Amino acid sequence: MNGPTPDQRARWRADGVLPLPRALSGEELSRVQEAFSREADAARPDWLEGVSQGTRPAAFFDIPDPLPRDPLFLDLVDHPSWYGHLMAFTGGQVTFLGAQFRTLPPAPLSYVGWHYDVPRSTPLHLKVQIYLDPVSRREGAFAYVPGSQRPEAGPYPLVADPEEMPGHRVFEGEAGTAVVFNSHGLHTSLANRSRQGRRSIILIYEVCSEATFNPDAFARFADRLTTADRRQLFRREPRPDAEVAP
């Protein structure tokens, strides 16, 4: 399990966001890409039907309930390329909340404006976004305002064009790049102005607490949660020293 270098720790504290180039690569990346495409193709007709009926968003497409669809997907949750970083940044108290396997279709505008995912009163909330395709500004790259996760940061202006936000950084990357970010910070996705859908996997975590502890949340994966750490990560058991009621 890889952990952050001293420089990465310092960048995380200062910026609230950390890119990890080549977090997935080679055959492993190819297998994840193939499994994602297979499951997206299987689920896309239902999404299109929902879009036509006005019951599904047209701006993005998420594979429904993705984790059981391929054994590879569950193993991404504690993948060694980023899991050591999550453990370090949470003081060993990370817990997994859920996943979004998302395709961003071409569009003239971003589907979401600059936003925070959770109030800053919420325990540390983190996400890992993994690009399955090369992503530049044109393909709808993730963008973040470094330092905006700090309690004293802001206020920030309302902007019509996401690229007009002062101080933001765009995280371009090759397929297999992962971006770890503090969800208390201001972030967005730029518009995908290419001709291809942009595929990414978003894994969602938080510091373990009484509010997040739920032994039933991932009970269906119990046969794969064979270590104490995995059972704690997937909320089957509380983390040691976590603020969780007995």
Side-chain angles (χ1 to χ4, degrees):
M1 180 170 65
N2 299 326
T5 65
D7 177 65
Q8 288 175 323
R9 286 178 182 269
R11 291 168 63 191
W12 174 258
R13 288 194 296 269
D15 295 345
V17 60
L18 183 69
L20 301 175
R22 295 184 60 80
L24 296 180
S25 61
E27 182 181 349
E28 180 181 39
L29 173 60
S30 295
R31 288 189 290 116
V32 173
Q33 290 169 323
E34 291 168 5
F36 185 107
S37 293
R38 181 190 67 241
E39 298 304 327
D41 288 345
R44 188 170 288 108
D46 286 344
W47 171 65
L48 292 173
E49 178 67 18
V51 170
S52 69
Q53 295 178 355
T55 60
R56 300 280 185 89
F60 63 89
F61 164 50
D62 283 349
I63 299 173
D65 194 22
L67 293 184
R69 291 174 175 263
D70 192 289
L72 288 170
F73 297 159
L74 193 76
D75 288 339
L76 292 174
V77 176
D78 53 357
H79 192 280
S81 287
W82 50 80
Y83 188 52
H85 294 71
L86 300 176
M87 289 289 281
F89 298 154
T90 62
Q93 296 296 305
V94 67
T95 190
F96 178 64
L97 299 183
Q100 298 165 327
F101 283 48
R102 178 160 294 178
T103 301
L104 185 63
L109 300 173
S110 172
Y111 76 96
V112 63
W114 287 98
H115 65 285
Y116 309 95
D117 284 335
V118 295
R120 290 176 182 170
S121 58
T122 302
L124 178 60
H125 190 278
L126 313 90
K127 290 185 176 180
V128 178
Q129 181 163 4
I130 308 142
Y131 294 156
L132 298 187
D133 302 294
V135 178
S136 68
R137 286 176 178 267
R138 180 172 176 80
E139 282 83 30
F142 173 78
Y144 193 93
V145 178
S148 61
Q149 82 285 358
R150 300 175 190 171
E152 71 276 11
Y156 294 95
L158 296 174
V159 293
D161 181 347
E163 299 204 42
E164 294 178 354
M165 176 61 70
H168 78 276
R169 181 180 171 191
V170 177
F171 290 85
E172 301 175 301
E174 294 300 316
T177 296
V179 182
V180 184
F181 65 97
N182 183 332
S183 303
H184 292 168
L186 199 60
H187 59 280
T188 192
S189 170
L190 301 182
N192 180 6
R193 294 191 170 96
S194 72
R195 295 186 176 183
Q196 302 294 325
R198 187 265 283 162
R199 301 172 299 168
S200 69
I201 294 172
I202 303 167
L203 305 173
I204 308 166
Y205 306 84
E206 197 170 286
V207 167
C208 186
S209 68
E210 184 173 355
T212 58
F213 183 62
N214 182 355
D216 298 325
F218 298 102
R220 57 184 163 163
F221 302 116
D223 62 328
R224 297 188 60 191
L225 309 182
T226 57
T227 66
D229 183 73
R230 263 207 157 186
R231 290 191 293 273
Q232 293 160 13
L233 174 63
F234 285 90
R235 297 187 275 163
R236 296 286 287 166
E237 298 175 2
R239 289 283 191 189
D241 302 321
E243 296 181 2
V244 176

